[in-house]
Amino acid sequence: MTIKVTIWNEGRHEQLHEEVQKIYPDRIDGAIAAGLADPDFEIRRGTLDDPDEGLPDSLLEDTDVLLWWGHMAHDEVSDGLIDRVQQRVLKGMGLVVLHSGHHSKLFRRLMGTNANLSWREMPEGDLERVWVINPSHPIAEGLPPFFEIEASEMYGEPFDIPAPDEIVFLSWYSGGEVFRSGCTFQRGRGKIFYFSPGHETFPIYHNPLVHKVIGNGIRWVKQPHTDGRILANWHRAEPIHKRPD
Amino acid sequence: MTIKVTIWNEGRHEQLHEEVQKIYPDRIDGAIAAGLADPDFEIRRGTLDDPDEGLPDSLLEDTDVLLWWGHMAHDEVSDGLIDRVQQRVLKGMGLVVLHSGHHSKLFRRLMGTNANLSWREMPEGDLERVWVINPSHPIAEGLPPFFEIEASEMYGEPFDIPAPDEIVFLSWYSGGEVFRSGCTFQRGRGKIFYFSPGHETFPIYHNPLVHKVIGNGIRWVKQPHTDGRILANWHRAEPIHKRPD
Amino acid sequence: MTIKVTIWNEGRHEQLHEEVQKIYPDRIDGAIAAGLADPDFEIRRGTLDDPDEGLPDSLLEDTDVLLWWGHMAHDEVSDGLIDRVQQRVLKGMGLVVLHSGHHSKLFRRLMGTNANLSWREMPEGDLERVWVINPSHPIAEGLPPFFEIEASEMYGEPFDIPAPDEIVFLSWYSGGEVFRSGCTFQRGRGKIFYFSPGHETFPIYHNPLVHKVIGNGIRWVKQPHTDGRILANWHRAEPIHKRPD
Amino acid sequence: MTIKVTIWNEGRHEQLHEEVQKIYPDRIDGAIAAGLADPDFEIRRGTLDDPDEGLPDSLLEDTDVLLWWGHMAHDEVSDGLIDRVQQRVLKGMGLVVLHSGHHSKLFRRLMGTNANLSWREMPEGDLERVWVINPSHPIAEGLPPFFEIEASEMYGEPFDIPAPDEIVFLSWYSGGEVFRSGCTFQRGRGKIFYFSPGHETFPIYHNPLVHKVIGNGIRWVKQPHTDGRILANWHRAEPIHKRPD
């Protein structure tokens, strides 16, 4: 079964920073798309500077799973787009939020919190070990007990999110921190997967194990069925009988 | 220890509908305040039509626990007030959301969903049985295994909320529905309790067991300690050591 | 992909009680097997009075998903069998526990509680409405918003189980009770689904919607992958580097 | 309000190993008792080699909160004692399980899993950083964002437990692992706190921050009310009315 995947990438670092262009000549969304090459995925791409902020209704309504990468321009995304994406998630569209997308309007909206975290500047990056703590979870399919990212941006606890429905990955950093780096959430009928590795100045989206995680995440957030039973704003119900006498 | 409780009530039905005035001559917030009479609670009241929408900063910042009742004027509450209340909850203020407050901007903001539910119009109300399903939870302290509300507005499943951290009450309706009528959530450092019984045309807020539940809820959402360790937007961390060679 | 399903049924009521024989001439496991007719399922059956208590190692080790129905003879099941089944669940075998199986040694072992509940004798049964509260859950696939069982045995709250990972169904009874009638749990690598409707004196296992739920449950508890990474009693790990100086 | 705390310690290493005697001349339970010195706590101590395995009924029934430390003699604890302690937890006694107690019959019984984990032998120990990931949780009261244990035994993921109700602490090890080192669970009416630091060959139970955590844990698992509404094996309920015609 084909899954219609739309990769939304803010796309600004690639325009502004030469070092990012070198690592991601086809942008971050291009690297992810290349890594996901799979006949099961029909991939479309959009960026903030495309028409309709990269997500016209026609595309959004035709998307089974949306990937979201943003960082420096969170505030430029219109509230109207956030409203539309949120409502589509609530109706069952899958969502994979990547790295600094934790601070996007979209993720904050779906979490109800600020989604803050600890952070450390380290131009050369830090060694991150991603541990699988729920080895039978479909998102961990095919992964070793842990894998390493040689140069990663440290994202540490406390991570200000509601208690996740499931924690799949916990990360360890050489510098002394830990992080819930792979978490799942359900909002309405929509499944959400947050995965933290993925900074723009490191070649993380060229890592085959990161591709594996994202591909597994796409398959997992894709609802196995959508049968149109979407809740109206109010559902009126009739009582089956009068009050007992 | 005194808990500073602010009861925020939209307060419109009491102005507009004679039947509500008869049941709640001192408004819904007045009935709740009377029912909470307890030296532990220092109670303040505000309504949407008061200055600063009833919640000036000076009051909000001095509130340990906020109660929220709204219904017909959700959209008139300013986004600025919702922003301020949300941020105060994230910093640790307790919140008790009552009845139709499920559809308030505030609750939707904190849940990330539309918080829709099933609903049935029945002018005379329906018999609701509120079952305690977690009898050792502090919010259930002093309650019988179940209690009944003779005339209640039916709120039924599916209730479009994220999985609650805890379910304390499940309700049964004579007309054939069930509902997760008492749920807890944590957002940031703030604890939230949602309790569904409480329609404006029924004298539910004169019921001593409802007062008991709300009082227990206030004690439970009140954080036992607040030591000022509030997360900044970004917390900068220093590594304890260099990467291993 | 074929799923190897073993239906284990205590099988005593069918030997002892004429009314049960009339309703289930091929036993409860036979009625369930008939209802599950699907080329995806390879079904095997066993009862307590079969050799090896109906679950020889050769069968258990060849089972992807086990269904468990027991009632009057919970205590006659050997601890050795419970040990073996528990360990197989922890390694990834799916488990569907039905009705009075809530009080089986197996379910209590996996829950860590007594799994008590409220109960009401009512020879003619009570009307049960099974509400879907998580409509996008795979176990709810193809179901209406609720369905009814004309004559059911009342199982009510409080149900003494750990907080389920997910609640799929809530039941309403005409007599005034509610129940978490469809719950999921993970233990080790194994997924567990508990579904309460199913008394031996009512023809519930001839109900096509009950078959639908059980079939969905089987597909859901079946692990999508099992790659042999089973934890030994202790896993010895080597440090990647010495303590920082 | 005085909390009656019983510290149960297997007590074998202290008899057999000189290095342990040196670190804990008054045994592990003695070090914990000394660290808990607080007028709120009435502390009693018991070991496996005391009469009635250190927990006669008279003591168990008079205990509000039980601490459990065991390691080399898990299998020598009688099943009868485990039965009695489990039932008392289900009725509301608080339980704090320490370090290698994760592999005790008692903890496995309450979890339903084997509670295996990764582990590394390192005679000099490893540096452990205990991170607070839920800073407003009562068990984290008064703690810094993280604290360090200079020499600790590594306990790593995957930790084979059911999803905890809450995670309070995550640990980082210099050697490259992470661990859910502070977790809470509810079973029946009983609250459970597991805390992993605490090996017998390191002076961890002389650490004031470890005392602080254990003291906070005791206060948290102590039920705020116990009003005797304990579920019988079966609770018989009467319907409120006949089926609707």
Side-chain angles (χ1 to χ4, degrees):
Chain A
M1 179 198 52
T2 300
I3 302 176
K4 295 177 180 179
V5 178
T6 300
I7 308 176
W8 188 92
N9 172 21
E10 175 189 291
R12 287 284 172 80
H13 287 289
E14 294 93 331
Q15 298 177 50
L16 296 170
H17 303 121
E18 200 176 343
E19 63 173 318
V20 179
Q21 288 165 358
K22 278 189 189 153
I23 300 174
Y24 295 114
D26 190 26
R27 293 198 312 261
I28 283 174
D29 50 296
I32 295 173
L36 291 178
D38 184 313
D40 286 355
F41 300 147
E42 179 189 326
I43 295 180
R44 287 84 57 95
R45 299 161 56 183
T47 76
L48 179 58
D49 294 318
D50 290 334
D52 296 310
E53 303 173 76
L55 275 177
D57 262 359
S58 55
L59 178 57
L60 186 60
E61 295 298 315
D62 192 44
T63 295
D64 294 319
V65 174
L66 178 69
L67 272 59
W68 192 272
W69 196 101
H71 182 216
M72 61 184 287
H74 291 318
D75 288 344
E76 295 183 44
V77 180
S78 73
D79 289 341
L81 178 59
I82 299 303
D83 290 343
R84 288 192 291 120
V85 175
Q86 177 187 19
Q87 292 305 315
R88 180 125 178 96
V89 170
L90 296 179
K91 286 179 181 168
M93 181 181 72
L95 177 68
V96 177
V97 175
L98 295 167
H99 189 58
S100 43
H102 76 94
H103 253 178
S104 64
K105 284 182 183 177
L106 177 62
F107 191 64
R108 293 184 189 213
R109 176 81 67 89
L110 289 161
M111 295 296 105
T113 67
N114 291 333
N116 291 334
L117 47 77
S118 297
W119 164 79
R120 169 152 45 79
E121 189 139 36
M122 211 172 169
E124 76 281 19
D126 195 4
L127 172 66
E128 176 177 359
R129 265 196 175 189
V130 182
W131 283 90
V132 174
I133 74 160
N134 188 345
S136 57
H137 196 286
I139 295 178
E141 189 273 318
L143 295 176
F146 66 84
F147 62 95
E148 296 189 348
I149 295 171
E150 282 293 307
S152 192
E153 189 183 43
M154 191 286 284
Y155 272 15
E157 296 286 341
F159 186 18
D160 186 16
I161 48 172
D165 294 339
E166 300 169 309
I167 304 174
V168 184
F169 303 118
L170 285 182
S171 280
W172 172 101
Y173 294 90
S174 156
E177 294 87 2
V178 293
F179 194 61
R180 287 170 289 175
S181 50
C183 298
T184 75
F185 306 90
Q186 185 172 328
R187 292 293 180 270
R189 317 258 165 124
K191 296 166 84 173
I192 301 168
F193 172 52
Y194 174 75
F195 184 59
S196 64
H199 198 56
E200 72 272 7
T201 62
F202 305 120
I204 293 172
Y205 292 120
H206 295 305
N207 182 326
L209 287 172
V210 170
H211 299 156
K212 180 76 181 160
V213 170
I214 295 174
N216 288 347
I218 290 169
R219 286 188 173 83
W220 186 84
V221 299
K222 169 70 174 67
Q223 286 290 13
H225 69 284
T226 50
D227 55 8
R229 285 182 290 128
I230 300 305
L231 272 186
N233 196 36
W234 286 100
H235 172 71
R236 285 170 192 267
E238 290 304 312
I240 52 168
H241 61 84
K242 295 284 191 183
R243 284 197 42 183
D245 299 317
Chain B
M1 179 197 53
T2 300
I3 302 177
K4 294 177 180 179
V5 177
T6 300
I7 308 175
W8 189 92
N9 172 24
E10 176 190 289
R12 287 283 171 82
H13 288 289
E14 294 92 333
Q15 299 177 48
L16 297 170
H17 304 121
E18 201 175 343
E19 63 173 317
V20 179
Q21 287 165 358
K22 277 188 191 153
I23 299 173
Y24 295 114
D26 190 26
R27 294 198 310 262
I28 283 174
D29 49 296
I32 295 172
L36 291 177
D38 184 313
D40 285 356
F41 300 147
E42 179 189 326
I43 296 180
R44 287 83 59 94
R45 299 160 55 183
T47 76
L48 180 56
D49 293 318
D50 289 334
D52 298 308
E53 303 174 77
L55 276 177
D57 262 0
S58 56
L59 177 57
L60 185 60
E61 295 299 314
D62 192 45
T63 295
D64 293 320
V65 173
L66 178 68
L67 273 60
W68 192 274
W69 196 100
H71 182 217
M72 60 184 289
H74 291 320
D75 288 345
E76 295 183 44
V77 181
S78 74
D79 288 342
L81 178 59
I82 298 303
D83 289 344
R84 288 192 290 120
V85 176
Q86 177 186 20
Q87 291 305 317
R88 180 125 179 96
V89 169
L90 296 179
K91 285 180 182 167
M93 182 181 71
L95 178 67
V96 177
V97 175
L98 294 168
H99 189 58
S100 43
H102 77 93
H103 253 177
S104 63
K105 284 183 182 177
L106 177 62
F107 190 65
R108 293 184 190 214
R109 176 81 68 86
L110 288 161
M111 295 295 106
T113 67
N114 291 334
N116 290 334
L117 46 78
S118 297
W119 163 80
R120 171 153 44 78
E121 188 139 35
M122 210 172 170
E124 76 282 21
D126 194 5
L127 172 66
E128 176 176 359
R129 265 196 176 189
V130 182
W131 282 90
V132 174
I133 75 159
N134 188 345
S136 57
H137 196 286
I139 294 179
E141 190 272 317
L143 295 176
F146 66 84
F147 62 93
E148 296 189 347
I149 295 171
E150 282 292 308
S152 192
E153 189 183 41
M154 190 284 284
Y155 272 15
E157 296 287 340
F159 186 18
D160 186 15
I161 47 172
D165 294 339
E166 300 169 308
I167 303 175
V168 184
F169 304 118
L170 285 182
S171 281
W172 173 100
Y173 293 90
S174 156
E177 295 87 1
V178 293
F179 194 62
R180 287 170 288 174
S181 50
C183 297
T184 75
F185 306 90
Q186 184 172 330
R187 291 295 178 270
R189 317 256 165 127
K191 296 167 83 173
I192 302 169
F193 172 52
Y194 174 74
F195 184 60
S196 65
H199 199 56
E200 70 273 7
T201 62
F202 305 121
I204 294 172
Y205 291 119
H206 295 305
N207 182 325
L209 286 172
V210 169
H211 299 157
K212 180 76 180 160
V213 170
I214 295 174
N216 287 348
I218 290 169
R219 286 189 173 82
W220 187 82
V221 299
K222 169 69 173 68
Q223 286 291 13
H225 69 284
T226 50
D227 56 6
R229 284 181 292 130
I230 300 304
L231 272 186
N233 196 36
W234 287 100
H235 171 71
R236 286 169 191 268
E238 290 304 313
I240 52 167
H241 61 85
K242 294 284 190 184
R243 283 196 44 184
D245 299 317
Chain C
M1 179 199 52
T2 300
I3 302 176
K4 294 178 179 178
V5 178
T6 300
I7 308 175
W8 188 92
N9 172 22
E10 176 189 291
R12 287 284 172 80
H13 288 289
E14 294 93 332
Q15 297 178 50
L16 297 170
H17 303 121
E18 202 175 342
E19 62 173 319
V20 179
Q21 288 164 358
K22 278 189 189 153
I23 300 174
Y24 295 114
D26 190 25
R27 294 197 311 259
I28 282 174
D29 49 297
I32 295 172
L36 291 177
D38 183 313
D40 286 356
F41 300 148
E42 178 189 326
I43 295 180
R44 288 82 58 94
R45 299 161 55 184
T47 75
L48 179 57
D49 294 319
D50 289 334
D52 297 309
E53 304 173 76
L55 275 178
D57 262 0
S58 56
L59 177 57
L60 185 60
E61 295 298 316
D62 192 44
T63 295
D64 294 319
V65 174
L66 178 69
L67 274 59
W68 191 274
W69 196 99
H71 183 216
M72 61 184 288
H74 290 320
D75 288 345
E76 294 183 44
V77 180
S78 73
D79 289 342
L81 178 58
I82 298 303
D83 289 344
R84 287 192 291 120
V85 175
Q86 177 186 20
Q87 291 306 315
R88 182 128 176 93
V89 169
L90 297 178
K91 285 179 181 168
M93 181 182 72
L95 178 67
V96 177
V97 175
L98 294 167
H99 189 58
S100 43
H102 77 94
H103 253 178
S104 64
K105 283 183 183 177
L106 177 62
F107 190 65
R108 293 184 188 212
R109 177 81 68 89
L110 289 161
M111 295 296 105
T113 67
N114 291 334
N116 291 334
L117 46 78
S118 296
W119 163 80
R120 169 154 44 79
E121 189 141 36
M122 211 172 168
E124 76 281 18
D126 195 4
L127 172 67
E128 176 177 0
R129 265 196 175 190
V130 182
W131 282 91
V132 174
I133 74 160
N134 189 346
S136 57
H137 196 286
I139 295 179
E141 189 273 318
L143 295 176
F146 67 83
F147 62 94
E148 296 189 347
I149 296 171
E150 282 292 307
S152 192
E153 189 183 42
M154 190 285 283
Y155 272 15
E157 295 286 342
F159 186 17
D160 186 15
I161 48 172
D165 294 340
E166 301 168 308
I167 304 175
V168 183
F169 304 118
L170 285 182
S171 282
W172 173 98
Y173 293 90
S174 156
E177 294 87 2
V178 294
F179 193 62
R180 288 170 288 175
S181 50
C183 297
T184 74
F185 306 90
Q186 184 172 330
R187 292 294 179 269
R189 317 257 165 125
K191 296 167 85 173
I192 302 168
F193 173 52
Y194 174 75
F195 184 59
S196 64
H199 199 56
E200 71 273 7
T201 62
F202 305 120
I204 294 172
Y205 292 120
H206 295 305
N207 182 325
L209 286 172
V210 169
H211 298 156
K212 180 76 180 159
V213 170
I214 295 174
N216 288 348
I218 290 169
R219 285 188 173 83
W220 186 82
V221 299
K222 169 69 173 67
Q223 287 291 13
H225 70 285
T226 50
D227 57 5
R229 283 181 291 130
I230 301 305
L231 272 186
N233 197 36
W234 287 100
H235 172 71
R236 285 169 192 266
E238 290 304 313
I240 53 167
H241 61 85
K242 294 285 191 185
R243 282 196 45 184
D245 298 319
Chain D
M1 178 198 52
T2 301
I3 301 177
K4 294 178 180 179
V5 178
T6 300
I7 308 175
W8 189 91
N9 172 22
E10 175 189 290
R12 286 286 172 79
H13 287 289
E14 295 92 331
Q15 297 177 50
L16 297 169
H17 304 121
E18 201 175 344
E19 62 172 320
V20 179
Q21 288 165 359
K22 277 187 190 155
I23 299 173
Y24 295 114
D26 191 25
R27 295 197 312 260
I28 283 175
D29 48 297
I32 295 173
L36 292 178
D38 184 314
D40 285 356
F41 300 147
E42 179 188 326
I43 296 179
R44 287 82 58 96
R45 299 160 57 183
T47 75
L48 180 57
D49 294 319
D50 289 335
D52 296 309
E53 302 174 77
L55 275 178
D57 262 0
S58 56
L59 178 56
L60 185 60
E61 295 299 315
D62 192 45
T63 295
D64 293 319
V65 174
L66 178 68
L67 273 60
W68 192 274
W69 196 100
H71 183 217
M72 61 183 290
H74 291 319
D75 288 344
E76 295 183 43
V77 181
S78 73
D79 289 342
L81 178 58
I82 298 303
D83 290 343
R84 287 192 291 122
V85 175
Q86 177 187 19
Q87 292 305 316
R88 181 126 178 95
V89 170
L90 296 178
K91 285 180 182 168
M93 181 181 72
L95 177 68
V96 177
V97 175
L98 295 167
H99 190 58
S100 44
H102 76 94
H103 253 176
S104 63
K105 283 183 182 177
L106 177 62
F107 191 65
R108 293 184 188 213
R109 176 81 67 88
L110 289 161
M111 295 296 105
T113 67
N114 291 334
N116 290 334
L117 46 77
S118 297
W119 164 81
R120 170 154 44 79
E121 188 140 35
M122 211 173 169
E124 76 281 18
D126 195 4
L127 173 67
E128 176 177 0
R129 265 196 176 189
V130 181
W131 283 90
V132 175
I133 74 160
N134 188 345
S136 57
H137 196 287
I139 294 178
E141 189 273 318
L143 295 176
F146 66 83
F147 62 94
E148 296 189 347
I149 295 172
E150 282 292 308
S152 192
E153 189 183 42
M154 191 284 284
Y155 272 15
E157 295 287 340
F159 186 18
D160 185 15
I161 48 173
D165 294 339
E166 301 168 308
I167 304 175
V168 184
F169 303 118
L170 285 182
S171 280
W172 173 99
Y173 293 90
S174 156
E177 294 87 2
V178 293
F179 194 62
R180 288 171 288 175
S181 50
C183 297
T184 74
F185 307 89
Q186 185 172 328
R187 292 294 180 269
R189 317 255 165 127
K191 296 167 84 173
I192 301 169
F193 172 53
Y194 174 75
F195 184 59
S196 64
H199 199 56
E200 71 273 7
T201 62
F202 305 121
I204 294 172
Y205 292 119
H206 295 305
N207 182 325
L209 287 172
V210 170
H211 299 156
K212 180 76 181 160
V213 170
I214 296 174
N216 287 348
I218 290 169
R219 286 188 173 83
W220 186 82
V221 299
K222 169 70 173 67
Q223 286 292 12
H225 69 284
T226 51
D227 56 6
R229 285 182 290 131
I230 301 305
L231 273 185
N233 195 36
W234 288 99
H235 171 71
R236 286 169 191 266
E238 290 304 312
I240 52 168
H241 62 83
K242 293 285 191 185
R243 284 196 43 182
D245 300 317

